[in-house]
Amino acid sequence: MDGEASYSIGELARSAGITVKAVRFYTERGIVPARRTASGHRRYGSDAVARLGLVRTLRELGIDLATVQKIVDREVPAAEVAAAHAEAVAVQMRMLRLRHAVLTIAARRGSDPEEMELMHRLARLSAAERGDLVGDFLTSSFGAPETGPMPRVLHRSLAPELPEDPTSEQLAAWVELAELSRDPDFRTLMRDLFNDHTAEAARRPKGPPRKHAVARVTETARPLLAAGVAPDSPEAAEAVTAVVAAYAEFQDRPDTPALRARLAAYLTGANDPRRERYLTLLSTVNGWAPPDHPRDEIGWFLTALAAP
């Protein structure tokens, strides 16, 4: 160490921000080099300062001591050292986001310990486990994808795909979506809507495709709602008559109170807040634009449909 900076064990510990005991431990393991003076005291050079800084960083990132020793002894290339740093930091960041997501939801809901444990478990699921959970929900609601074109489309379009490096917002959305998909009542709602739709499609006469009830209601009600037309006005009644007539033709049934009640039940299910919430959470998880759910338009039409 002639001509080089020389540090005592106390000076080295202070410069690295760790205890003398820790420096002594790393020295005895051969991780941090030292030499003995004639009086038997340890002295450290600038290379010890650099190695100790790296050791401290790696240990704080949770890298085990055996791997740390290989890194500082250059038994692995510098590129692998950088990769190890990046991977360790990425893991820590993901875990922090996971904890933040669970704690945020728990604080908002006032969750009990059991619910917090469930949310934490859902947040920690592997990609395969998430796929199994979502697949079970979609199959329960719409049937297996191989049963027809519509189930196949719904399995693709309604499946959340949490990225490998999700944000806290995406993690929170996934946890809530996973909880919702496990709700038996929500599964029943989605299955009933699907069955109604497929039953309508089976009765549909051959010919060009026709607009679905929700699409027709949205298209009809949106301009009237924007114009401030009251749902109990003659103009609204005229719009209802037109939509019901199209629905009756689609169903191949006459316009009767029973048909109108059937339409109202279907639209009420389609406008269920849980369905809208699922689509909103799905968009957040998948990084899509927020869905344009026609909540207000369907609500306006249902009021107009019920008007005397």
Side-chain angles (χ1 to χ4, degrees), residues 173-255:
W174 157 252
V175 170
E176 188 177 344
L177 184 149
E179 287 185 299
L180 186 56
S181 70
R182 297 171 75 250
D183 181 352
D185 290 340
F186 180 62
R187 290 187 175 208
T188 299
L189 168 71
M190 297 296 279
R191 184 165 53 251
D192 289 347
L193 288 171
F194 175 73
N195 288 340
D196 281 352
H197 180 74
T198 52
E200 288 179 8
R203 288 192 299 270
R204 186 181 308 162
K206 298 297 183 181
R210 304 190 183 188
K211 288 181 181 175
H212 188 265
V214 171
R216 188 174 293 277
V217 165
T218 303
E219 180 184 80
T220 301
R222 183 160 289 174
L224 298 175
L225 186 62
V229 174
D232 58 352
S233 66
E235 190 174 355
E238 184 179 336
V240 166
T241 299
V243 170
V244 172
Y247 182 71
E249 182 183 1
F250 185 85
Q251 293 276 330
D252 194 24
R253 294 178 177 179
D255 178 358

Side-chain angles (χ1 to χ4, degrees), residues 118-132:
L118 171 62
M119 290 189 294
H120 190 246
R121 182 159 52 82
L122 291 173
R124 292 174 62 89
L125 291 178
S126 67
E129 289 170 329
R130 292 196 301 269
D132 288 344

Side-chain angles (χ1 to χ4, degrees), residues 25-47:
F25 172 77
Y26 292 134
T27 303
E28 291 171 353
R29 290 291 299 262
I31 296 174
V32 177
R35 68 175 177 83
R36 293 278 186 176
T37 65
S39 58
H41 295 100
R42 290 188 178 97
R43 301 296 295 182
Y44 299 87
S46 56
D47 60 334

